[in-house]
Amino acid sequence: MGIDDLDRRILHAFTADPHLGVLGAARQLGVARGTIQSRLDRLQERGVIRSLAPTVDPAALGYPVMAFVTLEIRQDHGHERVVAELERIPEVLEAHTITGSGDIWIRLVGRDNADVQRVLDDAVAGGSVIRTTTVISLATRLATRTTPLVDAAVDHAP
């Protein structure tokens, strides 16, 4: 299920330049266009590449405040009900079941701190959330990245 060096090079090329295109990648990497296309198709089928959608910056849309929130939920309501409630809130970007003192961890954005409070109020309005613990992000020091992981996957391929 690992990736080989050509997969790594393809992933690096498209990460560096998402507009590269199959033909551009073939020229850059010195392999046939059909090889690039089949490798991309295979990486998508396996779920290595989850999306070709653009990466949207919430701050550029007017949501510069990011918060990480731990939710403690009513156990008799279940995770599915809480997630269904969270899905109705556009500012909730992620939700994960977690271990530890909480039950669900979410990442959300707001226009300002008061807007973050509004989003939190929306999250608890359904009655499934007992308590929240919120941490506001002051600055992103390391943005979401995957290329080092791609490199490590080749090094540890079976």
Side-chain angles (χ1 to χ4, degrees), residues 77-101:
H77 287 195
H79 290 84
E80 292 80 14
R81 179 174 171 179
V82 177
V83 172
E85 293 169 2
L86 294 171
E87 285 177 330
R88 290 191 279 273
I89 305 170
E91 296 86 355
V92 175
L93 304 180
E94 296 179 55
H96 304 267
T97 301
I98 60 169
T99 62
S101 61

Side-chain angles (χ1 to χ4, degrees), residues 8-9 34 41 72 79 94 96 109-110:
R8 180 190 66 79
R9 291 172 48 219
D41 291 345
E72 294 179 38
H79 290 84
E94 296 179 55
H96 304 267
V109 293

Side-chain angles (χ1 to χ4, degrees), residues 55-149:
T55 303
V56 175
D57 183 355
L61 292 175
Y63 298 88
V65 181
M66 181 172 24
F68 303 96
V69 184
T70 302
L71 307 177
E72 294 179 38
I73 67 170
R74 295 188 188 284
Q75 297 303 307
D76 60 336
H77 287 195
H79 290 84
E80 292 80 14
R81 179 174 171 179
V82 177
V83 172
E85 293 169 2
L86 294 171
E87 285 177 330
R88 290 191 279 273
I89 305 170
E91 296 86 355
V92 175
L93 304 180
E94 296 179 55
H96 304 267
T97 301
I98 60 169
T99 62
S101 61
D103 300 300
I104 296 177
W105 176 90
I106 63 174
R107 182 170 67 98
L108 60 85
V109 293
R111 295 186 184 280
D112 53 31
N113 286 349
D115 195 41
V116 168
Q117 180 63 60
R118 178 195 55 81
V119 175
L120 288 171
D121 291 346
D122 287 349
V124 301
S128 297
V129 176
I130 299 169
R131 179 177 298 112
T132 65
T133 304
T134 305
V135 178
I136 301 286
S137 173
L138 299 177
T140 299
R141 299 295 182 185
L142 186 61
T144 301
R145 64 194 185 120
T146 56
T147 52
L149 187 61

Side-chain angles (χ1 to χ4, degrees), residues 14-60:
F14 280 97
T15 300
D17 182 5
H19 296 98
L20 183 62
V22 174
L23 184 58
R27 288 179 180 154
Q28 180 179 323
L29 300 175
V31 296
R33 180 187 181 285
T35 300
I36 298 292
Q37 187 63 62
S38 67
R39 292 292 186 115
L40 286 172
D41 291 345
R42 186 183 55 147
L43 290 168
Q44 285 180 301
E45 288 168 8
R46 291 180 38 217
V48 174
I49 297 174
R50 290 191 299 190
S51 173
L52 298 176
T55 303
V56 175
D57 183 355

